Amino acid sequence: MPVRFDRRAFLMGSTVAAIAAPAFAGEAQAGPKLIASGDAPVTGHAKLAEFDGWTVYEDQSRRDGVITFVRGDQALVLSKRLEACFDDIEPKYLGLSLKDICLADADLLADKLLAAGDDPDPEAVRRAAPPAGWNYTQEGLYTRLAWTNFVGTRQQGDTMPVFPNGRTRGYRPEHAFPKLQGDDMAKKRWEGLLGGWLPAIHKIIEVSPTRYYDLLVFADVKAPDALLVQTWHRTIQYDNGQPVKTAFGYSYAPYPPRRKEPTTAEFYQALFDFAAYWQNEVRDQCALTVPDKALGDMVSHAFVKELMTRPQGVYPKYGVVDRDYFGPEYDGFQDILTSSLYANLEWGRFNQARAVLDNYFNEFTAPDGMINMRGPETPQFGLTLSLLARYFAYTGDVETLRKHAGKIANTAAILTEMHDLSLKKPADDAGFGLIDGWSESDACLHPDPTLWWKPYWNNSAFAVRGWRDIARVWPVIAPEQVALAADWNRRADQLQAQLVKTLRANVRNDLTPPYVAVLPGAKLTHREAYAEAREKKQRTEQGWAHRVYAEMLHADVLPDDLAQTVIDGVRGHGGTCIGVVANIAPANETHRDQLGFISYGYAQQLLRSGRIEEYLLFLHSHRYHSHTPGTWVAGEVTGIDGDLPLYCIPAQLTIPKLVRWMLVFEASDSETLYLGRAIPREWFASGQPIRIEGAPTRWGRVDLALQGGGEKVSGKVTFHGEERPDEVELSLRLPKDMKVKSIRIGGKTVKLAGDIVTFKPGRAAELSIEVSLAKPILTA
């Protein structure tokens, strides 16, 4: 049965998000919400339709004009945002040569964007390379369909691809507008999402200086089909800035008299229902308000994309449409579980996290802990254990974890058994005491997968993290098995010591910067290893180096100096692309690609190590170069030459993590809470509010609010739980020319060390933040 929303509750409530909203959830930062009609002026807007007492208007004087629903003293406003889907960037690549960028060991574009020693300019980051998907060819896609986005609902079991000219697999706008035929004519187009983040695709296709087409495509949220997604369409032809023809469609071409073009009122009623449906789906997300509104929209849209990607919103799928990513052989891929569980937990979406967790342990985990997937990834077993501990710390839901306690214990046992084997190696073996195994699932697809059954650093790093974290909560989950927790802690300490010892012994200090290969004993850099393998027409054990580095750093088990050595080595030896971990491959003259998923572990260590400018570069670069413009399809791997990336949901769920951590972040092994650690300096200068409400932590929900203006910065920290961290580190990344006169936290004067104020929160539920400045902030 289709999911139904309560329209009466929607109409009666003060906001859409008020429908059954849990405590602290608030409303999504930038979405459809009912406001007073007086706050939504429609004077001069075109009147489009009427239904159920609502009147629909649209500002058709501009391409991003709002659509407004008005009834009595209430109004619903759907905004528009458009981004260019074609290459309008000059000079190319910040004036650098693509060949030089691709061949260089250093990340030349990152170096240039960070050269000023301050936060990178988001617009400069955007202009560092052409947008994804603007310059693909059908020949280059081979048998892939050239879809550029998709629509769907939670309840359906599949999605519907949308192509550049706005057609789907069932409907073609060119039937009513012949000029829209084919995708080549849609090269010069802008795209965006209605309402900021709703999965309604808005396109502007310009076919001449005097004519453009305005298209809307979205899924019917009330359709009961088990698999098939029904779609609504609106196409308007504008000549000289004036609408001259409008056509509506529903799923298929008309077949009169039985199947007719929908009426205007039917279309807008469906659009109204659509807005209410999706707002209801993300109502439990932590409320977010930041000056860069698009980042908040990307967070909400990522969760919407996940619900569309997963059949019934729960069953795992790696991608959509294309067999190689939607096929069932991918469903048990561990990254689908861990990326989803992590993102949903960080944003307070506990019901979704529980559903995802329960589904995976019910349907993809055997009683012995092995997963129903062709190529298990050794580090992901450890990450899974860590996230199960985080799930308990955030939700307190011991019942779900006890239900799966046997499988959880055996997941940990997979790693303990492999650890025992590692200790049986000869003492002079380069990988003594380190866990062997596949690091990457695709290793199993090759004729001889034993080439990659090796002691990669990330295998051991995440085993340490997983054991240590699950051990903390195991006495509550399975009190009769406390001895297991003691064993896991012992092993974690032993394995961590061996990992650090062996890693230090494998630092290539003869290189600049120093470099660590992906496994002990390797003498070549990954680029050298790839070159040698190509020359000998062989494969290399250093394949998928990007996963090793990102996961090793993500696990947070290395001393900071060693972690920074790894970061420097990755960035300095061909391992990043505009600040994001590269999809490490043989050096060539035409391609240097970003890794859209997994790579967030590298970013997390940048944050931990205080490399905030690099963290912000990662965030902006992922936003602009691992996503298609405007409608934000995240690529698993995305080039910087305009090719069309393959979508995968773990890549889509990266931005939510990055945005959450820049505001609220927890230390792994100490009772320290970091607040505002990567807030861009310009956000304080903007004078606009910076606020997250109800961010889950292991000490309970936390609110952070900050705002600059005049000669002060003010705000507050609110703790909603019973527990408190031992200390809080608050970062005040003010513009560098700002001088601080005094800072008071909770009424007490504190000192600033660099950008950081450290204080003990005590038992206070709310602490005020008062910063006095030597000169006023000049707000934008």
Side-chain angles (χ1 to χ4, degrees), residues 257-297:
R258 289 290 186 268
R259 181 182 290 154
K260 299 179 180 180
E261 181 178 296
T263 67
T264 303
E266 288 172 336
F267 176 87
Y268 289 107
Q269 180 159 8
L271 182 59
F272 184 89
D273 293 347
F274 164 87
Y277 171 100
W278 282 113
Q279 179 67 44
N280 193 52
E281 288 291 349
V282 298
R283 69 184 184 274
D284 57 351
Q285 177 191 316
C286 302
L288 176 70
T289 304
V290 293
D292 189 342
K293 187 177 176 183
L295 279 178
D297 287 342

Side-chain angles (χ1 to χ4, degrees), residues 66-251:
V66 298
I67 298 175
T68 306
F69 299 78
V70 178
R71 189 177 79 171
D73 60 356
Q74 292 183 315
L76 173 69
V77 180
L78 300 182
S79 62
K80 298 174 187 169
R81 180 195 298 111
L82 293 162
E83 295 182 20
C85 297
F86 53 92
D87 184 13
D88 62 342
I89 295 172
E90 289 291 346
K92 303 296 184 193
Y93 303 108
L94 304 180
L96 301 173
S97 157
L98 179 59
K99 176 181 175 180
D100 290 344
I101 291 166
C102 295
L103 290 176
D105 282 342
D107 187 344
L108 299 182
L109 290 172
D111 290 349
K112 194 161 187 177
L113 290 162
L114 294 168
D118 206 341
D119 291 355
D121 174 17
E123 177 61 14
V125 177
R126 183 187 76 82
R127 300 186 70 82
W134 83 274
N135 195 32
Y136 71 89
T137 63
Q138 184 58 62
E139 293 75 20
L141 298 178
Y142 302 102
T143 59
R144 277 178 60 197
L145 293 173
W147 61 275
T148 53
N149 214 313
F150 62 94
V151 295
T153 66
R154 168 193 274 274
Q155 67 266 21
Q156 261 94 41
D158 208 335
T159 56
M160 180 62 72
V162 180
F163 296 81
N165 75 339
R167 74 185 187 280
T168 65
R169 297 288 280 171
Y171 181 85
R172 288 179 172 265
E174 61 262 41
H175 289 170
F177 301 91
K179 292 286 187 183
L180 285 172
Q181 185 172 351
D183 290 334
D184 286 342
M185 54 69 56
K187 284 286 188 182
K188 190 172 184 181
R189 71 183 192 280
W190 292 259
E191 292 190 357
L193 299 165
L194 204 60
W197 55 263
L198 296 171
I201 299 169
H202 177 218
K203 295 174 179 276
I204 296 290
I205 299 175
E206 190 174 288
V207 296
S208 78
T210 60
R211 175 174 293 180
Y212 68 86
Y213 295 91
D214 182 305
L215 298 90
L216 279 176
V217 185
F218 60 93
D220 182 358
V221 297
K222 300 177 74 174
D225 309 76
L227 291 173
L228 183 64
V229 173
Q230 306 288 349
T231 53
W232 289 95
H233 303 258
R234 186 193 77 170
T235 308
I236 305 176
Q237 177 181 324
Y238 281 80
D239 288 346
N240 297 307
Q242 300 297 317
V244 297
K245 180 182 177 181
T246 300
F248 298 98
Y250 182 77
S251 297

Side-chain angles (χ1 to χ4, degrees), residues 223 302 314 320 398 419 451 470 589 616 657 682 709 713 757:
V314 174
V320 297
V398 71
H419 183 223
L451 176 62
I470 198 67
E589 297 183 357
L616 290 172
K657 301 182 190 78
E682 66 176 12
V713 173
V757 172

